[in-house]
Amino acid sequence: MGDFKKFVFEDFIFSRNLVLDKPGIIAGNLVNKFGKRGVQTRIVYLFENIFLDLYYNTKKEIGKEKTDILWYKIGKDFATRYFLFYAKEKFSTSLQKPALKYIFHFLSGAGLTFAEEIIGGSNENYFSVKGKNSLMVQKMNSGYFCSGILSGILSFVYDKNIEANCKDSFSETNNFVASKNFKNIYLPNKKDLEISEDYSNLNFNKMVNVEFFKKFSSLSDMMKFKKICFNKKENNWMFEDLALLPAEVGLMGIILNNYSNENLSKLFFNSCLKSSEKIFKKILGDKKNKKEKINYIANVFSSLGFGIPMVIEKEKKVIVKIFNPPISKYGSLDKTVIFNGAFNAAFEKKLNLVGSTPFKIVYSYD
Amino acid sequence: MERESFGIKEIDSMVEGGLPKGSVIGISGPPGVGKSIFALHFLLEGARKGQKSVYINLEEPRRNVDNMIKEFDFSKEFLEFEKKGLIVIRCFNYSEYEKISLEVLEKVYGDNKIERVVIDSFNCFFDSLECNCFEGTVNIRKLINSSFVYLRKNNLNTLLVLEKNGGKENLGHNIPYLVDGMINLDYLDLGTIERRVFIPKMRWTNQFKDSRGYSIGKKGIELLSED
């Protein structure tokens, strides 16, 4: 990248991405060099196995081809929403290629390492993108989710619809291709994906700050104690030996939305519930004491950015009050189902959802 | 460089064999994490080597210190060394120590047989003296610096227990800058307590950069296998 472009891009526009974390809250904050406050996003760290199980269960239900298209749409929506946070205006021609390089470098920090080399881009006719294989692509045995992300990124940067395809995702490296001449697969509805006006207010300005919350773990606490780490070899965030995907809070909502559009919301909830329960049974290990298990789960959720859950069991009901929850316009059912699985594992019972808001979830059991 | 063992061999291996001889090491952490127990290992190791060791406790009365020692398998050996005069335990409250602190350190300095000193806790005493005036702050700084002057004489191996006060990260009074090394003990309460030891600073040493997990049991502090 030439010095001037490097200056404009790295030093002026996207100079710093700060990750602010405290118990229950993880915020990404892109700030430019001259101190002008950038955009804060509320981030949660999600277990990759939830996506993988969902993909495989969907494949069983509706077949590989339809599942791949569904996940392509999810990837493209995810990327489009990301850009709606950060870039309201078109990128000028001279900044398009440096922008791509920077964006893919940035994504690799989240474990999406599929684009280390970008060939093409002088016009939008053809791009070839190569990189190390991301864990999710390997495990899904499908590059459609990442193709969708690539398509979303290229479409936004070049301000034209550019579809992408994964040529090879079964080895150690990925090879994606993209072109504006490829047949249209999917056009995201930007209005649906737009960030709500009260996003910042709900996620950051109305936070409750109580001394007691310091008792709970933050992301950096878990990293200090080696529960969460960045695996350099796999280029992935890990909670012990479980892969994590850091994502803006809207991702699960986007997935649920796309599943609902295909009348697959029941599949979504059943799959996520089972995965979450399996994951948390593994995390809890051989802990026997219920209080210990609940405390541990609360700390895990707190460190992954899900807010601080306080759990009360009363009259065959389990009430989970969540302080400083991550909030998106997609509601809370997507996160509620992950809590459900976790507390099923802790209580060793099937908890049934009675009702939920972002701040409170009520489950009952027999 | 000549080194002295801390009394916990895995801690020694994190710092090339032990603390540099004659250095002043701070051991910090929140309440209940094992700092005083660490100090017991340090004193016991000195006594085993025939070094006279002094334990100045400013937090607890003598009976509490005895109760702490008796929890561990090494208590019999520890108390035998005390009978022989190789370990000297002195307990003061803050107001007593305020009057005699430099006198105590002068005695320690004057006794050539003393090779190890533990002050538990070092920073809270100075916090108790703090007053909202410039002169008060200057006097406290002078007292701290005078303490360090005595501790650095005669090649004393010193361990200063530093309490992290009420969740405050700052140990106060620039003490972390004055000491030659810092050992941090910390814990995470995840339903069960997970403890780790970090060594962020050790002058003249290529210390282990990572942290190690540890537990507290009948044998005192034991580092966990990283496998």
Side-chain angles (χ1 to χ4, degrees), chain B residues 12-111:
Chain B
D12 292 338
S13 68
M14 291 171 81
V15 288
E16 294 188 313
L19 68 149
K21 191 174 172 70
S23 58
V24 180
I25 308 296
I27 176 154
S28 74
V33 80
K35 300 182 296 297
S36 300
I37 301 168
F38 192 104
L40 296 182
H41 282 283
F42 181 72
L43 295 162
L44 184 61
E45 181 66 15
R48 283 172 177 163
K49 290 190 150 80
Q51 298 168 348
K52 189 171 175 183
S53 308
V54 174
Y55 180 41
I56 300 169
N57 190 302
L58 306 178
E59 301 295 322
E60 308 279 357
R62 179 62 209 245
R63 64 174 181 281
N64 285 5
V65 174
D66 284 338
N67 288 339
M68 177 178 62
I69 295 166
K70 282 170 187 164
E71 283 178 40
F72 303 109
D73 290 344
F74 55 69
S75 58
K76 194 176 168 192
E77 188 189 2
F78 193 99
L79 295 168
E80 276 296 321
F81 281 130
E82 195 195 2
K83 274 190 196 148
K84 290 176 186 170
L86 275 171
I87 294 177
V88 175
I89 299 175
R90 291 286 178 266
C91 299
F92 303 101
N93 61 40
Y94 289 159
S95 54
E96 285 167 345
Y97 194 66
E98 189 181 341
K99 292 173 197 154
I100 57 165
S101 63
L102 291 179
E103 200 183 301
V104 166
L105 291 176
E106 225 179 287
K107 267 193 184 162
V108 165
Y109 161 63
D111 185 342

Side-chain angles (χ1 to χ4, degrees), chain A residues 103-328:
Chain A
I103 289 158
F104 288 130
H105 174 73
F106 177 74
L107 283 176
S108 70
L112 292 167
T113 49
F114 62 97
E116 289 168 318
E117 190 191 335
I118 308 157
I119 300 167
S122 53
N123 58 49
E124 314 82 58
N125 285 341
Y126 193 79
F127 295 86
S128 170
V129 175
K130 290 181 184 177
K132 244 190 265 180
N133 208 333
S134 78
L135 218 53
M136 268 181 63
V137 172
Q138 279 182 53
K139 287 183 177 176
M140 275 180 174
N141 225 10
S142 161
Y144 278 83
F145 176 58
C146 287
S147 299
I149 292 176
L150 177 64
S151 169
I153 292 170
L154 291 171
S155 301
F156 210 100
V157 170
Y158 288 90
D159 199 32
K160 300 181 166 8
N161 189 42
I162 298 174
E163 303 290 2
N165 195 359
C166 184
K167 271 178 87 175
D168 174 13
S169 64
F170 311 123
S171 58
E172 277 183 19
T173 54
N174 280 130
N175 187 3
F176 293 89
V177 291
S179 169
K180 72 177 174 95
N181 296 327
F182 286 168
K183 185 177 141 191
N184 273 356
I185 301 173
Y186 173 62
L187 281 169
N189 184 333
K190 285 185 187 173
K191 226 177 158 46
D192 275 352
L193 297 166
E194 250 169 27
I195 309 348
S196 58
E197 272 182 31
D198 54 358
Y199 179 94
S200 268
N201 200 31
L202 290 171
N203 280 293
F204 303 109
N205 298 343
K206 288 195 169 178
M207 284 194 293
V208 175
N209 195 7
V210 171
E211 195 65 28
F212 179 67
F213 290 167
K214 287 182 185 169
K215 200 166 119 40
F216 290 84
S217 305
S218 66
L219 176 69
S220 43
D221 288 334
M222 288 290 202
M223 288 174 70
K224 193 178 169 190
F225 280 77
K226 302 207 178 294
K227 293 285 183 187
I228 293 176
C229 64
F230 191 77
N231 182 326
K232 283 181 187 166
K233 193 181 166 203
E234 303 285 357
N235 225 74
N236 239 75
W237 287 95
M238 308 290 289
F239 182 95
E240 293 175 342
D241 60 351
L242 294 163
L244 293 170
L245 177 71
E248 190 269 326
V249 61
L251 174 61
M252 283 295 281
I254 285 171
I255 298 173
L256 175 55
N257 240 29
N258 275 279
Y259 269 72
S260 301
N261 291 343
E262 304 295 327
N263 294 319
L264 293 170
S265 42
K266 196 175 172 188
L267 170 68
F268 172 89
F269 285 118
N270 287 342
S271 176
C272 292
L273 178 65
K274 277 196 188 129
S275 295
S276 176
E277 193 171 339
K278 203 164 100 184
I279 286 165
F280 279 92
K281 270 192 180 145
K282 185 174 198 274
I283 288 173
L284 290 171
D286 51 9
K287 286 184 182 27
K288 297 271 184 278
N289 183 296
K290 188 162 67 176
K291 199 176 170 190
E292 264 178 38
K293 289 196 268 187
I294 293 170
N295 193 5
Y296 193 85
I297 286 175
N299 275 282
V300 171
F301 277 122
S302 169
S303 67
L304 298 179
F306 280 82
I308 294 177
M310 306 272 216
V311 182
I312 306 160
E313 189 183 2
K314 194 175 161 184
E315 292 163 8
K316 292 203 168 185
K317 284 203 170 71
V318 174
I319 301 162
V320 184
K321 284 189 178 174
I322 307 170
F323 294 91
N324 305 330
I327 298 178
S328 76

Side-chain angles (χ1 to χ4, degrees), chain A residues 8-59:
Chain A
V8 168
F9 218 83
E10 285 192 358
D11 295 347
F12 189 80
I13 298 176
F14 291 124
S15 72
R16 284 181 292 159
N17 183 39
L18 309 173
V19 176
L20 312 167
D21 85 293
K22 44 171 106 180
I25 301 162
I26 303 170
N29 189 7
L30 218 59
V31 180
N32 76 17
K33 181 182 182 176
F34 298 101
K36 189 179 170 191
R37 196 168 177 80
V39 179
Q40 275 194 313
T41 49
R42 189 68 188 264
I43 294 176
V44 289
Y45 280 59
L46 299 158
F47 288 100
E48 273 193 4
N49 283 359
I50 291 180
F51 301 119
L52 296 171
D53 289 345
L54 181 57
Y55 176 84
Y56 280 115
N57 289 332
T58 312
K59 209 165 82 165

Side-chain angles (χ1 to χ4, degrees), chain A residues 52-97:
Chain A
L52 296 171
D53 289 345
L54 181 57
Y55 176 84
Y56 280 115
N57 289 332
T58 312
K59 209 165 82 165
K60 269 191 225 166
E61 180 87 5
I62 64 173
K64 185 175 180 350
E65 200 178 315
K66 285 185 180 170
T67 305
D68 283 340
I69 298 295
L70 177 58
W71 278 86
Y72 182 90
K73 289 178 183 175
I74 289 167
K76 196 161 180 178
D77 278 350
F78 177 47
T80 305
R81 179 174 162 90
Y82 172 86
F83 275 103
L84 288 170
F85 268 106
Y86 291 117
K88 299 237 186 301
E89 290 161 13
K90 279 197 307 192
F91 286 95
S92 69
T93 318
S94 58
L95 288 179
Q96 281 164 345
K97 219 173 169 189

